[in-house]
Amino acid sequence: MEWLTGPFEVTFVQRALWGGMLVSAICALAGTWVVLRGMAFLGDAMSHGLLPGVALAALFGGNLLVGALLSAAVMTAGVTVLGRTPRLSQDTGIGLLFVGMLSLGVIIVSRSQSFAVDLTGFLFGDVLAVREQDLVLLGVALLLALAVSALGHRAFLALAFDPRKARTLGLRPRLAHAVLLGLLALAIVASFHIVGTLLVLGLLIAPPAAALPWARSVRGVMALATVLGVAATFGGLLLSWHLGTAAGATVSALAVVLFFLSHLASGLRHRRRARPGGAPAAATD
């Protein structure tokens, strides 16, 4: 069993595991709503929209997390405002913000010759470089995400399935949407320095999507998504250690593999239910 436990006897791998577990829980809380509402493109746009703030923070020697938070706030406000423009579809507004923020970030990066390593870390993360203070910040972010999810659960639920009913019930869907964007931004900012912006969607979308066929409630999806995210983190770090691959990318890739395995198993289960007693199911158009 040395091959299974040996890597996690190393201190920096232990911190990476704890960091990945916290990120998995945060991403499960936000990612469940992303999957239910079909907001994957928005999540991708917001993750890349962090680049200008991170680049400016690095350029002036500031805190990268603060820079990411500022960019996330700009993206959240921009998406909220453009979403209220009647003649502009939401996808169009998100796409424009995506391209604009990413272009601005690249322009800032191009002004310095010392950003190569920082940009690589921003895009792909470095889960093995997690520090104790990072774990504290992730713990605080998880508590905040839990509070927002608990307080906004009813409004988020109504918004996901019937926005008009949410308005009828006085749940203020516009405010709920803005708060939900804030929760998504929190998950992305908390995760980008662990797995990077290019890979954050792996933990944000794959575990909730994998949990969806098996859970019977939204909270069940969140719980199972957390378990799957933790499993991807543990397995990804283990494979990365033995195969010498990039840890963050391996974790994200394994999360996607779990998604495909989950839906394959779900499809097989439905086929068995459709054929009671082993009789072939009747063909339908």
Side-chain angles (χ1 to χ4, degrees), residues 4-5 7-25 127-130 135 138 194 229-238 247 251:
L4 183 63
T5 60
F8 300 99
E9 294 175 359
V10 181
T11 302
F12 68 85
V13 181
Q14 292 176 4
R15 289 198 297 266
L17 178 60
W18 278 108
M21 291 168 64
L22 291 170
V23 166
S24 296
V127 66
L128 296 179
V130 174
L135 296 178
L138 287 172
I194 303 296
V230 170
T233 299
F234 181 87
L237 290 174
L238 186 65
V251 170

Side-chain angles (χ1 to χ4, degrees), residues 30-156:
T32 296
W33 299 113
V34 171
V35 171
L36 290 176
R37 297 198 63 203
M39 296 165 56
F41 177 55
L42 174 60
D44 189 31
M46 291 191 68
S47 65
H48 287 79
L50 301 185
L51 182 56
V54 172
L56 284 173
L59 183 63
F60 293 106
N63 188 295
L64 299 184
L65 186 61
V66 173
L69 282 171
L70 291 175
S71 280
V74 171
M75 283 292 295
T76 301
V79 170
T80 301
V81 171
L82 291 178
R84 297 177 181 178
T85 304
R87 296 185 178 181
L88 189 66
S89 69
Q90 187 177 37
D91 282 349
T92 302
I94 293 171
L96 290 172
L97 282 171
F98 177 20
V99 174
M101 292 291 281
L102 186 59
S103 300
L104 178 60
V106 173
I107 290 171
I108 296 171
V109 168
S110 68
R111 296 290 299 172
S112 174
Q113 302 299 319
S114 62
F115 276 2
V117 176
D118 293 332
L119 183 58
T120 300
F122 170 79
L123 294 175
F124 302 106
D126 191 0
V127 66
L128 296 179
V130 174
R131 302 164 297 176
E132 290 185 4
Q133 52 264 46
D134 294 327
L135 296 178
V136 174
L137 289 174
L138 287 172
V140 172
L142 176 57
L143 291 176
L144 182 58
L146 283 169
V148 172
S149 298
L151 293 174
H153 182 80
R154 185 166 174 259
F156 295 162

Side-chain angles (χ1 to χ4, degrees), residues 145-195:
L146 283 169
V148 172
S149 298
L151 293 174
H153 182 80
R154 185 166 174 259
F156 295 162
L157 192 63
L159 187 65
F161 294 102
D162 193 344
R164 290 176 297 181
K165 186 175 182 180
R167 187 177 295 107
T168 303
L169 295 174
L171 295 176
R172 303 179 67 182
R174 288 187 175 181
L175 177 60
H177 181 67
V179 174
L180 186 56
L181 290 179
L183 179 62
L184 176 59
L186 173 66
I188 292 172
V189 170
S191 307
F192 87 92
H193 67 295
I194 303 296
V195 292

Side-chain angles (χ1 to χ4, degrees), residues 182-269:
L183 179 62
L184 176 59
L186 173 66
I188 292 172
V189 170
S191 307
F192 87 92
H193 67 295
I194 303 296
V195 292
T197 59
L198 288 180
L199 304 175
V200 68
L201 286 183
L203 288 178
L204 191 67
I205 296 178
L212 205 57
W214 307 96
R216 297 184 177 180
S217 66
V218 172
R219 290 188 177 91
V221 173
M222 292 177 177
L224 184 53
T226 301
V227 173
L228 292 172
V230 170
T233 299
F234 181 87
L237 290 174
L238 186 65
L239 289 173
S240 172
W241 178 272
H242 290 296
L243 300 178
T245 56
T250 308
V251 170
S252 184
L254 187 55
V256 175
V257 169
L258 290 177
F259 159 76
F260 284 111
L261 291 176
S262 170
H263 279 262
L264 177 61
S266 176
L268 292 175
R269 181 186 64 169

